[in-house]
Amino acid sequence: MVSALPPNKHQEKSLRTRALLLDAAIDSLAEVGYASASIADITARAGVTRGAQLHHFHTRQELIAQTIDHLTERQREALQRRTRTLAATASAGEVLVEYVTAPFAGKLGKASVELYVGIANDRTLRRNMLRVQHDLTVELLDACAERVEVSRERLEAAFWLTINLVRGATLDEMVGRDRLRRKQVLTEWTRLADSMLS
């Protein structure tokens, strides 16, 4: 049977379908959690057929493995958007909180937490997650260093406190705490980070 689409159009469609599935996996992880992020749920969210899903990912394990890299790329894109849009007049604390929040809060942060917990006992997936997230974290720290003029040692101390606070606030939100409380905590931390980095 002759293909209806030229090869490059097939490739574009295939890449689009793959991205839809991986984005849907992130949504599923963030909204229903690792345990409930089933192939059926992800396929339905992506709006693709089971056959299309099987063409790209034969097993849930394979899909989750690729989602780790895709999530990290989405987090990197979120950081890049934030670095382009944050006002030049932002204080050191604002830079730190805004940059760290971009990849590690909201939907991306929730999906990341779900993955960390869900794959904790899978040596291969855990190793890959730690590797790609480490690379992202190094980029994030470097981005902060470009905007915050302070010794690397002081910046790193504030940076790791901020990452742990943001992840903790994300987890807090996941278990049903008030979002307003999260905002208040980050506002207070921004003030403290400013004094720490001044």
Side-chain angles (χ1 to χ4, degrees), residues 3-4 9 25-26 28 31 33 38 54 63 65-66 69 84 107 114 117 123 130 137 142 155 166 171 175 196:
S3 173
K9 292 293 183 187
I26 292 171
S28 186
E31 292 174 26
S38 65
L54 283 169
L63 175 56
Q66 293 300 311
D69 293 313
R84 286 193 304 268
K107 175 175 70 175
E114 284 291 339
V117 174
R123 183 177 296 176
L130 290 173
T137 305
D142 288 343
L155 176 60
V166 168
L171 187 57
V175 297
M196 187 177 179

Side-chain angles (χ1 to χ4, degrees), residues 49-114:
T49 65
R50 174 76 169 146
Q53 172 262 305
L54 283 169
H55 175 74
H56 291 280
F57 306 105
H58 296 198
T59 65
R60 182 178 186 265
Q61 177 88 353
E62 188 180 337
L63 175 56
I64 293 297
Q66 293 300 311
T67 299
I68 291 169
D69 293 313
H70 189 71
L71 170 65
T72 304
E73 192 52 40
R74 289 292 189 242
Q75 290 174 298
R76 185 172 283 114
E77 290 166 4
L79 170 61
Q80 290 166 352
R81 280 193 302 275
R82 198 66 196 113
T83 59
R84 286 193 304 268
T85 59
L86 188 62
T89 56
S91 69
E94 288 170 333
V95 168
L96 205 55
V97 170
E98 290 292 325
Y99 281 15
V100 171
T101 301
F104 293 126
K107 175 175 70 175
L108 298 175
K110 289 176 185 177
S112 178
V113 168
E114 284 291 339

Side-chain angles (χ1 to χ4, degrees), residues 124-143:
T124 303
L125 291 179
R126 186 180 71 240
R127 188 182 314 119
N128 187 43
M129 180 80 170
L130 290 173
R131 179 185 57 77
V132 296
Q133 290 288 301
H134 172 266
D135 292 346
L136 173 65
T137 305
V138 168
E139 290 173 34
L140 177 53
L141 180 56
D142 288 343

